[in-house]
Amino acid sequence: MSTVGNSTNIFWHECPVGKSERQKLLNQKGCVVWITGLSGSGKSTLACSINRELYSKGKLSYVLDGDNLRHGLNKDLGFKFEDRTENIRRVGEVAKLFADAGLICIASLISPYRKDRDACRALLPESFIEVFMNMPLEVCEARDAKGLYKLARAGKITGFTGIDDPYEPPLKCEIELGHKDGVCPTPVAMAGKVVSYLEEKGFLEDDKE
Ligand SMILES: Nc1ncnc2c1ncn2[C@@H]1O[C@H](COP(=O)(O)OS(=O)(=O)O)[C@@H](OP(=O)(O)O)[C@H]1O
Ligand SMILES: Nc1ncnc2c1ncn2[C@@H]1O[C@H](COP(=O)(O)OP(=O)(O)O)[C@@H](O)[C@H]1O
């Protein structure tokens, strides 16, 4: 019996089919690919490209996209500091469940604060792959796919990441993607790098006995 947060007198119930059985079934290892970066840096595009590439290899992945989750699970949260922290905490916990299910979970969120990303990493230290979309603000702003930078510059949105709200780049991450000689690689090329990393680290096969 334990107390966790505000939950008292709670018990952990173990299921007979465990993570290793699920991984064997899927012939892959559950993990979290966490994509962080500014709005417009290409996180969602990359996430979908990785998802597609893994699918074509017969590997099961699922995308948790910040914008999408804010339509449901996180619709009670805004963009102030505490809300972003709670947003990342919840998504970290959900990603952990997906990884436990044996899936390659691709989380794509701005996740601007290092401490919040580190807290998610701490949930799954051996299978957390942080991918930094290192795109200059000018590139993201020039893209402005949703017109949000324009609104932020006009003061119609306040607390917009990169404009009047902070973004803390990773000090150390597994994969950094960005411009090469001033050119942005294609989403497929970037996804290829992530998938190669997963292959090299053995996530795309189950441990053979
Ligand atoms: N103030 C402010 N700052 C940043 N982003 C904003 C803001 N308001 C709305 N949006 C839209 O919300 C998307 C980011 O949601 P996230 O859940 O990824 O954000 S966070 O991780 O909690 O910071 C983000 O999506 P992406 O462009 O895909 O990053 C925006 O479309
Ligand atoms: N590798 C890329 N090269 C060129 N344009 C890209 C690339 N990745 C994404 N884009 C474009 O940039 C814009 C923002 O991409 P998106 O994936 O929505 O970013 P984010 O999820 O970080 O906000 C979109 O118009 C998208 O088509």
Side-chain angles (χ1 to χ4, degrees), residues 158-173:
T158 54
F160 196 78
T161 307
I163 304 296
D164 57 349
D165 223 48
Y167 178 79
E168 300 173 352
L171 297 175
K172 197 166 157 263
C173 62

Side-chain angles (χ1 to χ4, degrees), residues 39 43 67 70 79 84 87 110-112 146 148 159-160:
S39 175
K43 302 181 299 298
D67 239 342
R70 283 174 175 276
F79 289 92
R84 291 191 199 247
N87 185 34
I110 297 178
S111 39
K146 301 170 191 160
L148 297 179
F160 196 78

